[in-house]
Amino acid sequence: MTEQQPHLGDEALTDLALGQVDERLRDGLTRHLGGCETCRSRYAEIADAVEHVLVAAPRVEPPAGFSQRVLVATGLGGSVQTMRPARVRRHHGPSRRTALLVAAALVVGIGVGAAGSAVVGRGTSTQQVAVGAPLRTAAGDAVGSVQRSWSDAGQVLVVSVSGGRAGERYSCWLVLADGSRQAAGTWALDGSGGGSWVVPWPPTGQVRSVEMVSDSGVRWATAQV
Amino acid sequence: MQLFSGADRTADAALVAGLAVDDDAAAVAFVRRFQSAVFGLAVSITHDPGLAQDVSQEVFVRAWRAAGTYDVRRGSVLTWLLTITRNAAIDAMRARRPMPVDGAVLEEMITATLQVPGPEDEVVRSTERDAAVARLRALPPEQARAVVLAVIGGRTANEISVSEGIPLGTAKTRIRTGLRRVREAMEADRD
């Protein structure tokens, strides 16, 4: 859309700032904002007011033990250290989290090898999705990544998902160069719709792609390795 | 009195920076500093302490993951966290079966939001919150109620029209006008 098109009304901009529009309408409004400086500026003002009002929300102390649960969930605060060896925790850069997950899995050597795949983390951020081969849905949405790495047992694939539905189960299939398929494991996504797993590289051939298939047999996402 | 001022913004940003490099002490301080604000907003939207706990935990995990992308120039840490909280709580509510909310519960939430903090609240007071409450209280009461219900209660204009017993158009006008006045007050204070 361009400046020549009619500007959005305050009602639409307010609904958008309050998150009260459905996905399709939101996409249209967002597209318009992308090309209309006037509306973008008015939207920013409304969104600014919404954010300001949010701060007035009443304070309520959560039940005892809440902060400890959060720290366990993030693996911080000295609660969960096994997945984050000290020597890899100061790694910086855009791929920091994935590097940590991979390094942690490989350093502690959890479950990688003939035993099958291993869970190495509780999810990934959008930033991580850009690392390795993107895992995309048929619609083209990036929902994770697949990265090649190494362990003591040999080559592995690190499959990271960040854009799934919480609790959803998927089977991971490796599609080999000869077209054959090999099951790598079945996993449930965590409460945030994410998860990371280490999959041993098959001894029998090259992996062409990785597929995540739902329990109903629908291929949810694919990564070209 | 413990007031979190502009200097605290810098301290908050430092906590996020610590979180971004997995600093344990920063993580502990970060959660303890913001947990009552996050949980308070989550409860205001969900009216379900159990669900609010799940939402709040999810908010901190998301914040941990996104800590490296936080930009202090775009707003305070508190605002950033509460925006994540609002989105997460509304998503959680949409994912479950719609349930009517008792009018008394909404009244309690509005009252708690617009209440001038008393001496017993001093520990958790912040200049940022004081300013927001003052601007809401400066609105005509019907607009303040509509704005609080929409922003802090996460209610739709349609739900507000039902709970307030007013036409949908009136509910939308109150929300819009109230937010515009809040914005004008913010600008006037900056001048």
Side-chain angles (χ1 to χ4, degrees):
Chain A
M1 292 202 178
T2 67
E3 290 275 8
Q4 281 72 41
Q5 292 189 289
H7 292 306
L8 300 174
D10 278 352
E11 185 175 328
L13 292 172
T14 303
D15 286 347
L16 183 63
L18 289 170
Q20 303 290 5
V21 291
D22 64 37
E23 198 172 339
R24 202 170 59 175
L25 184 55
R26 186 182 63 213
D27 290 347
L29 294 173
T30 306
R31 264 199 307 277
H32 179 91
L33 291 183
C36 179
E37 176 66 36
T38 303
C39 289
R40 200 159 57 236
S41 169
R42 282 169 46 229
Y43 171 77
E45 289 178 1
I46 297 168
D48 207 18
V50 169
E51 288 180 2
H52 181 68
V53 170
L54 270 183
V55 175
R59 270 42 170 178
V60 180
E61 280 299 326
F66 171 78
S67 61
Q68 191 59 25
R69 279 195 295 279
V70 171
L71 296 170
V72 167
T74 56
L76 293 173
S79 301
V80 177
Q81 296 298 325
T82 53
M83 298 295 186
R84 300 282 187 90
R87 68 190 182 92
V88 298
R89 291 186 58 207
R90 298 297 172 194
H91 184 95
H92 293 273
S95 61
R96 183 175 63 89
R97 294 268 185 236
T98 297
L100 283 175
L101 292 171
V102 175
L106 304 186
V107 168
V108 300
I110 49 171
V112 176
S117 59
V119 178
V120 296
R122 291 184 55 83
T124 60
S125 68
T126 306
Q127 203 174 28
Q128 289 168 251
V129 172
V131 177
L135 191 58
R136 293 187 186 279
T137 64
D141 297 325
V143 292
S145 67
V146 176
Q147 188 176 14
R148 291 171 68 161
S149 192
W150 292 86
S151 75
D152 291 342
Q155 196 170 187
V156 296
L157 288 166
V158 180
V159 180
S160 299
V161 174
S162 62
R165 187 179 299 170
E168 196 78 12
R169 275 163 47 95
Y170 293 103
S171 296
C172 179
W173 290 87
L174 308 181
V175 180
L176 307 184
D178 62 4
S180 63
R181 297 163 62 82
Q182 185 171 315
T186 299
W187 313 310
L189 302 185
D190 66 15
S192 64
S196 296
W197 301 271
V198 175
V199 177
W201 191 270
T204 51
Q206 287 292 315
V207 177
R208 193 170 66 196
S209 61
V210 174
E211 295 179 354
M212 300 291 280
V213 179
S214 71
D215 277 352
S216 58
V218 175
R219 188 169 60 200
W220 175 57
T222 305
Q224 302 300 327
V225 178
Chain B
M1 183 189 299
Q2 183 183 357
L3 283 178
F4 299 147
S5 63
D8 293 304
R9 266 197 175 201
T10 311
D12 291 346
L15 284 183
V16 177
L19 195 63
V21 294
D22 295 347
D23 182 286
D24 287 349
V28 172
F30 180 81
V31 174
R32 293 194 176 146
R33 185 172 181 96
F34 294 110
Q35 64 180 11
S36 67
V38 167
F39 185 69
L41 179 59
V43 167
S44 297
I45 293 173
T46 63
H47 311 291
D48 176 342
L51 182 60
Q53 261 200 84
D54 293 344
V55 166
S56 302
Q57 178 171 320
E58 170 64 18
V59 168
F60 282 107
V61 171
R62 285 188 196 180
W64 168 59
R65 288 175 181 159
T69 65
Y70 169 72
D71 183 351
V72 70
R73 292 167 300 182
R74 294 181 60 189
S76 71
V77 174
L78 181 60
T79 302
W80 175 62
L81 265 184
L82 292 180
T83 302
I84 297 173
T85 306
R86 186 174 186 276
N87 293 336
I90 289 175
D91 284 350
M93 290 300 284
R94 283 178 183 155
R96 58 156 48 180
R97 190 167 56 87
M99 292 169 63
V101 179
D102 188 348
V105 173
L106 292 178
E107 282 303 323
E108 197 178 318
M109 187 268 293
I110 293 171
T111 304
T113 301
L114 297 176
Q115 200 168 36
V116 176
E120 71 279 9
D121 301 317
E122 286 182 352
V123 171
V124 293
R125 280 183 71 182
S126 73
T127 50
E128 205 175 353
R129 177 160 191 257
D130 285 355
V133 171
R135 282 171 189 143
L136 282 172
R137 288 172 62 85
L139 294 177
E142 70 278 7
Q143 288 177 18
R145 289 176 61 87
V147 169
V148 169
L149 285 168
V151 177
I152 295 174
R155 317 300 293 171
T156 65
N158 198 42
E159 289 168 334
I160 293 169
S161 79
V162 172
S163 66
E164 296 289 275
I166 54 177
L168 176 60
T170 305
K172 288 188 170 189
T173 302
R174 286 181 184 177
I175 297 167
R176 224 168 38 235
T177 310
L179 284 173
R180 194 185 68 233
R181 286 185 173 169
V182 166
R183 174 69 192 175
E184 286 167 355
M186 291 165 66
E187 285 178 352
D189 288 349
R190 279 176 198 156
D191 293 340

